[in-house]
């Protein structure tokens, strides 16, 4: 049942922001410049190549009205989903679970 709640693929909060700007017909470059943000860094967030920080989320709340906690929670969920796909990490977790079962 829990698997039905998980997204089919990890969704970076930048996708939500990118969609919101497109819906409002706001240029990414103009928006970034207006807020005093680096266009390159902003574009990397929108394309899921850079994480959303708490500060950035608060900027988006102030400018677009998207609650900061939603963006931060989306980023945390994205990070966890990506970690669950990391085979090296999963192997290490299994090793830790075996060790912990001895306590």
């Amino acid at each position: 049942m829990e698997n039905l709640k998980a997204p089919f693929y990890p969704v970076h909060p930048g996708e939500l922001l990118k969609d919101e700007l497109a819906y409002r017909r706001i240029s990414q470059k103009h928006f970034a410049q207006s807020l005093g943000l680096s266009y390159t860094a902003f574009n990397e967030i929108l394309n899921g190549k850079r994480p959303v920080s708490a500060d950035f989320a608060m900027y988006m709340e102030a400018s677009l009205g998207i609650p900061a906690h939603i963006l931060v929670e989306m980023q945390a969920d994205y990070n966890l989903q990506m970690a669950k796909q990391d085979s090296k990490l999963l192997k290490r977790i299994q090793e830790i679970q075996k060790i912990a079962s001895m306590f």
Side-chain angles (χ1 to χ4, degrees):
M1 190 65 140
E2 185 63 32
N3 287 339
L4 296 176
K5 294 181 182 179
F8 181 72
Y9 65 95
V11 178
H12 190 278
E15 288 187 46
L16 174 89
L17 295 170
K18 190 182 224 181
D19 289 347
E20 186 65 26
L21 291 176
Y23 176 78
R24 296 183 189 202
R25 295 188 176 129
I26 299 173
S27 157
Q28 293 177 20
K29 190 170 190 171
H30 176 73
F31 186 76
Q33 289 174 340
S34 296
L35 297 180
L37 303 172
S38 157
Y39 170 71
T40 303
F42 183 63
N43 185 263
E44 287 176 354
I45 290 170
L46 297 183
N47 289 308
K49 296 178 181 175
R50 194 181 273 229
V52 167
S53 68
D55 291 356
F56 180 83
M58 291 175 67
Y59 297 154
M60 295 303 100
E61 180 175 60
S63 59
L64 297 173
I66 299 170
H69 73 90
I70 290 175
L71 297 173
V72 171
E73 289 169 8
M74 282 181 75
Q75 184 66 55
D77 288 344
Y78 178 82
N79 293 347
L80 286 170
Q81 290 176 49
M82 294 303 291
K84 288 177 182 178
Q85 294 178 13
D86 182 338
S87 59
K88 284 177 67 174
L89 175 63
L90 294 176
K91 184 178 179 189
R92 180 69 180 129
I93 288 170
Q94 287 175 343
E95 291 168 358
I96 290 170
Q97 288 171 331
K98 284 180 188 175
I99 294 166
S101 69
M102 293 182 221
F103 297 117

